[in-house]
Amino acid sequence: MYHTHNKLMPNKEMPSGALALLLLRVLRSGPLHGYAIAQRIHSLSSEVLRIEEGALYPALQKILLKGWVTAEWGISETNRKVRFYRLTPAGRKQLEAEMSAYGRMHEAIQAVLRTA
């Protein structure tokens, strides 16, 4: 589930592919573990987006299997064993493609909203 402004928002509210795009974009800045990724998205979205574990880890596994990220075990800042995810060159290429597609879709939606 995704939460916005303390109201429950079901998964269907987030556009298809948006979570993968957000994960790839956050990891472009450097490797992070899952909880830190979720916190970063929450913070960068002015606390509007909250990614729950039930959505986060399956999405991370999916992009890991596609080769867009790698994962290695490490120790977190709280001294816990965690997996750190790092963007791969294929992930960078995918991020650029996803951002371009998102930009086109956003512009198309805005055009309809302005002119309809």
Side-chain angles (χ1 to χ4, degrees):
M1 292 280 181
Y2 304 94
H3 294 277
T4 62
H5 296 295
N6 298 325
K7 292 184 181 175
L8 203 57
M9 181 170 71
N11 289 353
K12 65 183 180 180
E13 297 290 332
M14 185 170 280
S16 177
L19 182 53
L21 173 61
L22 295 175
L23 296 175
L24 294 173
R25 178 58 185 93
V26 166
L27 289 171
R28 189 171 81 174
S29 302
L32 291 169
H33 56 83
Y35 180 75
I37 293 168
Q39 289 300 107
R40 185 118 173 95
I41 290 171
H42 185 64
S43 173
L44 291 172
S45 70
S46 300
E47 301 182 358
V48 172
L49 300 175
R50 183 183 309 272
I51 311 303
E52 300 295 329
E53 285 184 23
L56 175 65
Y57 291 102
L60 284 168
Q61 186 63 24
K62 184 176 178 180
I63 65 174
L64 181 64
L65 291 173
K66 290 184 178 201
W68 299 343
V69 298
T70 59
E72 59 186 47
W73 289 101
I75 303 298
S76 73
E77 55 282 350
T78 58
N79 208 30
R80 297 182 65 195
K81 187 176 179 184
V82 294
R83 281 181 98 178
F84 283 88
Y85 297 87
R86 179 186 311 271
L87 199 58
T88 65
R92 287 186 186 282
K93 185 175 180 181
Q94 183 65 28
L95 172 60
E96 295 308 317
E98 298 267 347
M99 287 178 65
S100 176
Y102 174 81
R104 286 191 307 275
M105 182 66 69
H106 179 75
E107 288 173 20
I109 291 169
Q110 289 299 315
V112 171
L113 292 176
R114 281 191 306 270
T115 60

